[in-house]
Amino acid sequence: MKKIYTLLLILLPAFIFSQTDLRAKTLTLRRFLEQQHYKPVQWNDTSSAMLYNKWMKELDDEKLFFTQKEITDLDAFKNKLDEELLGKEWNFFNQSTAAYKLRLQKTDSIIKLLTAKPFDFTKPDNIVWPFTTYAANEQEAAQRWLKYLKWRTLNQIVEKISDSNGTDTKLPVNFAKLEIDAREKIRRREVGYLNNLLSTPAAFLNNLQDQYLNSIAWCYDPHTNYMSLKVKKEFDTELSGTEFSAGIDLQEDEKGDKSITYLQPGGSAWRSGQLHKGDVITNVKTEGKEKNVADISEEELSSYLNGNSESDVEITVRTQAGETKTATLHKEKVTDDEGIVKSYVLHGKQNIGYINLPGFYSRDDETAKEDDIKDDGCANDVSKEIVKLKKDTIAGLILDLRFNGGGSMWEAMQLAGIFIDIGPVASVKDKTGKINFLKDPNRGTIYDGPLVVLINGASASASEFVSAVLQDYNRALIVGGTTYGKGTAQQVLPLDTSKINPAKKYDDFVKVTMNKFYRVNGSTAQWKGVVPDIKLPDLYAGDEYKEKSNVSALQPDMSRAGTFELLPVLPVATLAAKSKQRVDADNYFKKITAFTGWMEKNKKERNINLQWAGYATQYSDAMKMFKQFKEDEKDKSSVSVTNNGFDWQHIMQSTERSKEINNTYLKQLKNDATLQEAYRILMDWNGK
């Protein structure tokens, strides 16, 4: 008894200090955001409920851990968190995390018990996903986990034995062996996830504290984040410094899924055009050996994607839209003097230039002074490519900003200035209402011919900035899907409510929204996105992919319009009508529209069959849908794609491997139905 009492005396002060420290940080964070945020939250019952819902989603988004009993107890805090943030009682975090830890421990026992014997797939069964309510009691929680584990086991088996057409509905002869292997993999994954959380109590608590602070920050808007020193360093650090890399950065979520968070400009993944931020890597293959990412360590995965020598790696990803893609990447060294942006020529009735820009990057010059004009980024690179394309006598240009998640706003201003002569490109408003107009930093244009800008639901921030400027000036036709809807700007600052001391070493930081961007016509892309002049079916059209899906997103409003000279009105209505006629008759675009409707319905509710024949049928139907619109996407027109003439000479003198990579990308462009439609729109525009 004495030993236990002594141990409590040792541990208890550390726990109390940790909780006291969190409470102090919470109060400091609220005061900081009141000072710095563009539109500070008014803490009341409504905002309290928003924080409560966000936190419960952080803990148990899939409603697999808590039962209604714990939720009933925690619901008492739903409208009281504003009082805690104002310095009154402090109980919710402690009670919610204690309940969470207990549920994780109980869930660990449930999973081990359920996976100890084979699952029965002979009886009719199903799971309706996602769960919309919590389990009523322990028995229902166990039943819920049984269905969930059966589903994941079936999915593991199907993915192992299926091809692009799906799989046979007839039970495999070796199903018993497949079930054992799949069930064990799922058990290791789920139990491993719980063990990773529970085996390190201090780290578990620290992570929860950081998540809670981040949940508070999220209530101000989705792009305001609390950052510990570790996260701040990761935020500041570029992609791995290894000499050779496939050019992607990954982040692991709480379930072990590894998604792409960054594409190295000019790297193999960037140039492939097939991979995008948010894609989840499911499989990697090198030297003929393929492995499921769930079965390998983080270190092993890193060795596949990075290393000290050149080699190929084939990766399979699941996109946010549910599509499965495979891309072959080449591990290589990306140097600053290597051309990152590449341009191509579409050949048909006329030559049309094409430039794809997946992100707005800049090259920082450490010797440059603050007032120096920085012109060594993507805008400068695009300018160089346009100069090359002009030598191919192009009659129009397509700038592809699909899947461009943003980046340097300075580069966005520079890029917009390439295409307009003079005038404002946007305005920015701070929390006091002060408005500053941002002007084209360079007089004159690089290109003044017909211009089409391609966008989709994954185009955000800086790409929306450029699209909006060119649309407002009547400088370009904006074609594709409505963009993401981010019209705000953030800064990373130390968490300090007094004057920031440059000499002080801070441990806590906040990425805080301090400004809102407005278009030159006074409207904003915030929340609503940039609406294209000519709409095309888009896999990322659903609101669930966009800013507006976040209840804390800042709402759109109007600001003062700038003074600028409109270019002649473009024939939008005529060109849109001709495009719509083609799109409505095109099998690929028909299937995209049907698929997005199917995805939207399935995200809300999926009735998943848990017998082999039924599940195999559902899986195969989905695979066939993907295969069909991929087949229909293959271009049947006479339009061909080549490198620009300048680059073609270099390609002919390059290695066979470089030629192979180039040819693969050219084929991908030729099979891009949206790009081909953009070409036809330009032909209509030019009267061809």
Side-chain angles (χ1 to χ4, degrees):
M1 186 62 161
K2 184 177 179 181
K3 290 182 179 179
I4 295 175
Y5 180 71
T6 303
L7 184 63
L8 283 172
L9 288 177
I10 295 172
L11 294 179
L12 195 56
F15 177 78
I16 292 174
F17 175 78
S18 178
Q19 300 304 304
T20 304
D21 187 42
L22 174 63
R23 186 182 187 186
K25 280 186 184 180
T26 299
L27 298 177
T28 302
L29 178 62
R30 178 186 59 77
R31 290 194 298 270
F32 173 89
L33 290 172
E34 283 179 357
Q35 295 173 0
Q36 303 289 352
H37 195 270
Y38 175 82
K39 189 177 181 181
V41 169
Q42 298 298 314
W43 284 103
N44 50 35
D45 287 357
T46 301
S47 49
S48 173
M50 181 164 63
L51 173 57
Y52 175 85
N53 292 333
K54 172 64 176 175
W55 180 237
M56 297 311 296
K57 187 175 181 179
E58 286 289 317
L59 295 182
D60 190 12
D61 185 26
E62 295 175 336
K63 295 180 172 58
L64 280 167
F65 299 128
F66 288 120
T67 67
Q68 190 56 51
K69 179 182 181 301
E70 291 84 34
I71 298 303
T72 299
D73 293 338
L74 294 174
D75 271 347
F77 294 97
K78 193 166 190 175
N79 296 324
K80 295 181 179 179
L81 300 185
D82 54 320
E83 298 175 12
E84 293 196 351
L85 289 175
L86 292 172
K88 298 182 180 180
E89 291 184 356
W90 180 263
N91 294 307
F92 176 63
F93 178 83
N94 300 341
Q95 191 164 324
S96 63
T97 53
Y100 178 57
K101 183 176 181 179
L102 182 61
R103 290 310 309 175
L104 293 181
Q105 292 169 336
K106 288 186 176 181
T107 300
D108 180 69
S109 299
I110 290 172
I111 294 171
K112 289 175 179 176
L113 180 65
L114 293 174
T115 55
K117 58 183 180 181
F119 294 134
D120 184 0
F121 294 108
T122 62
K123 298 176 182 178
D125 198 4
N126 72 295
I127 180 173
V128 178
W129 184 264
F131 298 122
T132 57
T133 60
Y134 294 93
N137 48 47
E138 294 291 346
Q139 291 74 23
E140 187 177 323
Q143 186 63 23
R144 181 171 290 195
W145 267 102
L146 176 61
K147 289 175 179 285
Y148 177 78
L149 293 168
K150 288 174 69 176
W151 170 29
R152 304 320 301 159
T153 299
L154 279 175
N155 190 72
Q156 184 75 34
I157 296 171
V158 167
E159 286 188 347
K160 182 174 183 178
I161 67 174
S162 65
D163 55 25
S164 61
N165 294 314
T167 188
D168 196 335
T169 57
K170 185 178 179 181
L171 194 71
V173 293
N174 61 336
F175 183 80
K177 176 66 167 59
L178 291 170
E179 191 273 343
I180 291 173
D181 293 343
R183 176 164 41 88
E184 176 58 20
K185 282 186 177 181
I186 299 302
R187 185 197 68 80
R188 286 203 311 268
R189 177 174 179 175
E190 298 295 340
V191 171
Y193 162 67
L194 296 174
N195 285 342
N196 286 338
L197 292 177
L198 298 171
S199 61
T200 52
F204 178 59
L205 179 60
N206 285 336
N207 287 336
L208 287 174
Q209 290 176 345
D210 288 355
Q211 288 178 39
Y212 191 64
L213 290 166
N214 199 43
S215 294
I216 294 170
W218 176 91
C219 290
Y220 288 74
D221 82 288
H223 308 287
T224 292
N225 309 112
Y226 163 79
M227 294 179 170
S228 64
L229 181 60
K230 177 184 176 183
V231 173
K232 169 66 164 51
K233 288 180 178 179
E234 292 173 352
F235 181 80
D236 291 338
T237 303
E238 292 184 354
L239 189 65
S240 170
T242 53
E243 188 172 6
F244 293 94
S245 170
I248 57 178
D249 203 2
L250 304 176
Q251 182 175 11
E252 184 174 353
D253 67 13
E254 69 279 359
K255 276 293 187 179
D257 286 338
K258 298 173 177 65
S259 60
I260 297 174
T261 57
Y262 178 73
L263 299 175
Q264 172 74 38
S268 183
W270 167 290
R271 297 198 316 274
S272 76
Q274 298 185 68
L275 304 177
H276 308 290
K277 182 178 178 181
D279 291 348
V280 175
I281 296 184
T282 59
N283 293 76
V284 290
K285 182 178 181 180
T286 185
E287 298 179 353
K289 297 179 181 179
E290 184 170 13
K291 292 192 176 182
N292 189 303
V293 170
D295 299 331
I296 60 178
S297 66
E298 184 176 343
E299 291 75 17
E300 189 176 357
L301 178 59
S302 179
S303 70
Y304 279 115
L305 301 176
N306 307 293
N308 297 317
S309 62
E310 295 182 274
S311 60
D312 290 342
V313 57
E314 182 181 285
I315 69 171
T316 301
V317 300
R318 183 178 67 253
T319 70
Q320 293 182 70
E323 181 184 3
T324 299
K325 287 184 178 181
T326 299
T328 299
L329 307 179
H330 188 61
K331 287 193 285 187
E332 58 198 9
K333 185 177 180 180
V334 180
T335 58
D336 286 340
D337 59 352
E338 183 178 352
I340 292 176
V341 174
K342 299 291 185 183
S343 62
Y344 302 86
V345 181
L346 280 64
H347 302 273
K349 294 178 181 179
Q350 292 180 312
N351 288 350
I352 297 296
Y354 171 78
I355 298 174
N356 177 39
L357 184 64
F360 286 84
Y361 59 87
S362 62
R363 300 181 183 90
D364 293 328
D365 182 359
E366 294 180 358
T367 64
K369 297 179 181 178
E370 186 175 348
D371 294 334
D372 288 346
I373 297 294
K374 303 178 180 67
D375 59 358
D376 190 22
C378 66
N380 190 48
D381 290 345
V382 169
S383 298
K384 292 176 182 177
E385 293 305 308
I386 291 175
V387 171
K388 294 179 187 177
L389 289 169
K390 284 182 175 180
K391 295 179 180 179
D392 287 291
T393 320
I394 60 171
L397 176 66
I398 299 170
L399 176 63
D400 194 345
L401 299 182
R402 290 175 297 172
F403 301 102
N404 185 318
S408 168
M409 294 305 294
W410 170 252
E411 289 298 327
M413 289 172 60
Q414 295 257 67
L415 184 61
I418 287 175
F419 303 108
I420 62 173
D421 184 13
I422 190 172
V425 292
S427 68
V428 60
K429 185 191 293 185
D430 65 18
K431 66 179 297 181
T432 68
K434 182 181 178 181
I435 300 171
N436 287 318
F437 280 92
L438 308 177
K439 296 181 179 180
D440 177 4
N442 298 302
R443 183 72 184 265
T445 63
I446 300 294
Y447 175 77
D448 59 6
L451 175 64
V452 165
V453 177
L454 288 178
I455 57 173
N456 68 358
S459 304
S461 194
S463 58
E464 296 178 283
F465 182 103
V466 171
S467 303
V469 174
L470 300 180
Q471 188 177 53
D472 290 345
Y473 272 85
N474 291 332
R475 179 59 193 89
L477 277 172
I478 312 302
V479 176
T482 301
T483 60
Y484 179 82
K486 181 181 183 289
T488 55
Q490 291 74 37
Q491 289 187 40
V492 177
L493 299 173
L495 179 57
D496 193 338
T497 55
S498 58
K499 186 176 180 180
I500 295 173
N501 182 359
K504 182 179 178 180
K505 291 184 178 180
Y506 291 95
D507 293 325
D508 304 280
F509 299 83
V510 182
K511 179 163 69 76
V512 55
T513 296
M514 301 184 72
N515 302 95
K516 203 170 181 180
F517 281 104
Y518 293 86
R519 299 168 65 145
V520 291
N521 64 9
S523 66
T524 179
Q526 173 59 26
W527 194 85
K528 58 186 180 181
V530 176
V531 180
D533 299 310
I534 299 177
K535 188 175 182 180
L536 300 180
D538 176 17
L539 280 173
Y540 295 83
D543 288 349
E544 66 271 19
Y545 302 117
K546 300 179 181 177
E547 178 91 350
K548 63 176 62 177
S549 67
N550 295 283
V551 296
S552 66
L554 297 182
Q555 294 298 300
D557 58 358
M558 293 293 294
S559 185
R560 189 169 75 245
T563 301
F564 63 103
E565 186 176 347
L566 278 172
L567 295 169
V569 175
L570 301 177
V572 173
T574 301
L575 297 175
K578 290 182 178 180
S579 176
K580 186 176 187 304
Q581 190 174 18
R582 285 190 297 267
V583 169
D584 288 347
D586 186 275
N587 284 333
Y588 168 75
F589 288 122
K590 285 180 182 178
K591 287 186 171 66
I592 289 292
T593 301
F595 178 77
T596 53
W598 177 83
M599 280 295 295
E600 183 177 358
K601 180 181 177 181
N602 276 269
K603 280 183 177 294
K604 291 179 180 177
E605 182 178 282
R606 294 170 60 189
N607 195 326
I608 302 164
N609 196 302
L610 295 180
Q611 284 184 291
W612 173 259
Y615 186 79
T617 298
Q618 290 178 333
Y619 184 90
S620 298
D621 288 346
M623 290 301 100
K624 287 173 184 175
M625 190 183 307
F626 279 120
K627 184 179 180 181
Q628 284 172 358
F629 71 66
K630 277 299 179 185
E631 288 295 323
D632 287 328
E633 186 182 27
K634 291 182 179 178
D635 178 55
K636 300 176 178 64
S637 74
S638 57
V639 178
S640 60
V641 185
T642 67
N643 300 88
N644 65 67
F646 181 85
D647 287 351
W648 180 248
Q649 298 176 25
H650 291 272
I651 291 290
M652 288 299 95
Q653 299 173 11
S654 65
T655 65
E656 290 302 314
R657 175 59 188 159
S658 294
K659 291 178 183 177
E660 182 183 343
I661 293 172
N662 182 66
N663 289 334
T664 298
Y665 189 60
L666 291 176
K667 183 178 179 181
Q668 181 184 328
L669 293 180
K670 181 174 174 60
N671 290 338
D672 187 334
T674 299
L675 179 57
Q676 296 293 335
E677 178 55 25
Y679 178 90
R680 297 183 187 101
I681 290 170
L682 276 166
M683 291 301 98
D684 291 340
W685 192 354
N686 291 339
K688 298 295 180 180

